[in-house]
Amino acid sequence: MTTLTHDPAHSVSAWRPRDGRGSRQAGPRLGGTSWLVWRQHRAAYWTLIAVTLLGVAVMVCLRGQMMDQLNALDSPPKKSDSLPPDFEKHTSRLFGFGSYLGYLPILVGVFLGAPLIAGDLESGTAKLVTSQSVSRLRWLTTKLAMTAGLIALCTAVLGAVFNWWWSPLRGRSDTLEWTSSVFFDGTGIMPVAYALLTFTVGVAVGMVLRRTLVSMVVTLGIVGAIGLVWDRFRLDLGSVLSVSTHNGVGPGAAPPKLPDQAVQQGQGAYFLTSSGDKLDWTTCVAQSEHTKAHTACLESKHVIGWSIDYLPVSQMHTMQWLGAGIMLAVTAAVVVAFIIPWASMGKAAGAAQRVGRSMATFSRSR
């Protein structure tokens, strides 16, 4: 086998016929390693682009239908009970489509991340690359950069269009709360960070297991576990605030009202004592059937009003950026722990092969 001393793709792209009949128009074109990576993964890339364009088209169409009915109302609705009964179909479409977008990071990790390197290791392409003039580090960097860049672009576009669709209904329906994973993870910077994390995890799993199908299955399990942990702790990124009253809890006293678009947290309205402590709804529940006994029980515990914990909508973007920062930090840790060492091992192996070939050439010449 002869060793390539130059990049064949670069040579082909650089050649131009001298006569004008076969010449092509000048313009930006992929060349070298980038061209090879695109040719190798063009089916996956075009699929991701097509899904993005289709998703954008569907969201634009559905938002147009929603706005037509929303603008036809005599007065713009401000509360969930102000929406007409037949408007529920639009909120259901919005929530349902957002739920489908929530599967995109999983699909990215399983179908783009896991096979990206595992397929080359399984087919022997990775070993072939180390025998050419293109280093494994350059080859790996190009594959990761091109794929991650396309993933970031597509998820950013989908997230932006989905947020544009959701904006007219923010705060107008209790079923479209911003703390829902559909809207928290599907808008802003979150789709990009989430998809890059699952993609990197899939690449690392493929490097370790070196088998495409096994890597996809394991990646699915790991990404699913990440999703469960994230759903459990993502609201902890915010600072819970409280609103309270001090006018008692009798028949004429009403619980405090939450700010616009705020989402209630905890177990509902708490009983607030004079010392500032909060008692849950089970306090004096045994005496609730008798008004006097119930009032006396609450007075014995020094209850002076209600207290409700909530997360304000003003914290949404801060929480998203904090969550995205955590995900990107984990992504960087995976790159440092798995991907960079693999590339370094390939660099050392390539150097050893070149030394071996040089020694063999020298011995034959003698």
Side-chain angles (χ1 to χ4, degrees):
M1 177 184 297
T2 60
T3 303
L4 296 179
T5 58
H6 61 281
D7 192 338
H10 180 74
S11 300
V12 171
S13 62
W15 179 81
R16 295 289 185 274
R18 295 184 178 181
D19 57 348
R21 292 175 296 178
S23 61
R24 297 181 181 179
Q25 295 180 354
R29 298 180 60 202
L30 292 177
T33 310
S34 301
W35 181 85
L36 293 174
V37 171
W38 175 265
R39 290 284 298 176
Q40 184 182 9
H41 301 288
R42 62 186 182 277
Y45 292 163
W46 279 120
T47 301
L48 181 58
I49 294 173
V51 169
T52 301
L53 295 178
L54 178 62
V56 169
V58 171
M59 286 188 285
V60 170
C61 178
L62 294 179
R63 186 186 188 274
Q65 297 176 8
M66 180 191 74
M67 292 304 299
D68 290 340
Q69 185 170 355
L70 193 62
N71 295 330
L73 298 176
D74 294 335
S75 59
K78 295 183 179 180
K79 298 296 181 182
S80 59
D81 55 2
S82 300
L83 294 173
D86 59 345
F87 202 85
E88 183 180 356
K89 65 180 181 180
H90 296 291
T91 59
S92 299
R93 290 173 180 174
L94 176 63
F95 194 88
F97 194 92
S99 301
Y100 287 124
L101 287 181
Y103 292 108
L104 188 58
I106 300 177
L107 298 177
V108 165
V110 173
F111 292 101
L112 284 179
L116 189 70
I117 305 299
D120 292 342
L121 293 173
E122 189 174 18
S123 63
T125 304
K127 183 180 295 185
L128 177 63
V129 169
T130 59
S131 65
Q132 306 302 318
S133 59
V134 178
S135 66
R136 177 187 286 193
L137 180 60
R138 179 185 173 188
W139 167 74
L140 178 62
T141 302
T142 305
K143 288 174 73 77
L144 294 181
M146 288 185 61
T147 310
L150 183 60
I151 291 172
L153 176 61
C154 292
T155 51
V157 170
L158 289 172
V161 177
F162 182 67
N163 183 65
W164 174 65
W165 182 12
W166 173 47
S167 296
L169 296 182
R170 292 184 62 170
R172 297 180 176 181
S173 176
D174 293 336
T175 61
L176 306 178
E177 294 178 343
W178 65 268
T179 53
S180 170
S181 61
V182 171
F183 304 105
F184 188 88
D185 297 340
T187 60
I189 190 64
M190 282 302 304
V192 178
Y194 206 162
L196 290 179
L197 172 60
T198 57
F199 166 71
T200 307
V201 168
V203 172
V205 171
M207 287 180 172
V208 173
L209 299 181
R210 306 170 70 91
R211 293 292 182 271
T212 302
L213 184 59
V214 177
S215 299
M216 294 173 68
V217 174
V218 174
T219 299
L220 178 62
I222 296 177
V223 171
I226 292 175
L228 293 177
V229 174
W230 174 245
D231 285 340
R232 169 62 181 82
F233 292 103
R234 60 185 172 80
L235 294 184
D236 295 337
L237 299 175
S239 300
V240 177
L241 304 181
S242 299
V243 58
S244 58
T245 62
H246 300 81
N247 301 323
V249 294
K257 293 183 178 180
L258 295 177
D260 186 33
Q261 300 186 47
V263 179
Q264 181 175 311
Q265 302 295 297
Q267 300 178 359
Y270 295 93
F271 294 116
L272 181 66
T273 65
S274 57
S275 62
D277 296 332
K278 297 177 182 179
L279 307 177
D280 60 26
W281 63 274
T282 60
T283 303
C284 300
V285 68
Q287 294 81 17
S288 60
E289 296 181 358
H290 305 282
T291 303
K292 293 184 177 180
H294 188 246
T295 302
C297 177
L298 294 177
E299 289 178 352
S300 66
K301 298 182 181 296
H302 308 288
V303 173
I304 60 173
W306 304 94
S307 179
I308 300 179
D309 296 336
Y310 69 94
L311 282 174
V313 69
S314 60
Q315 295 187 15
M316 178 179 178
H317 296 302
T318 303
M319 293 170 62
Q320 285 181 319
W321 279 98
L322 182 58
I326 294 174
M327 289 187 174
L328 293 177
V330 176
T331 301
V334 173
V335 171
V336 172
F338 295 96
I339 298 178
I340 292 180
W342 186 85
S344 301
M345 291 172 55
K347 185 176 181 180
Q353 289 181 1
R354 288 192 294 271
V355 171
R357 289 195 297 267
S358 300
M359 294 180 63
T361 302
F362 177 75
S363 62
R364 286 196 302 267
S365 63
R366 296 187 61 184

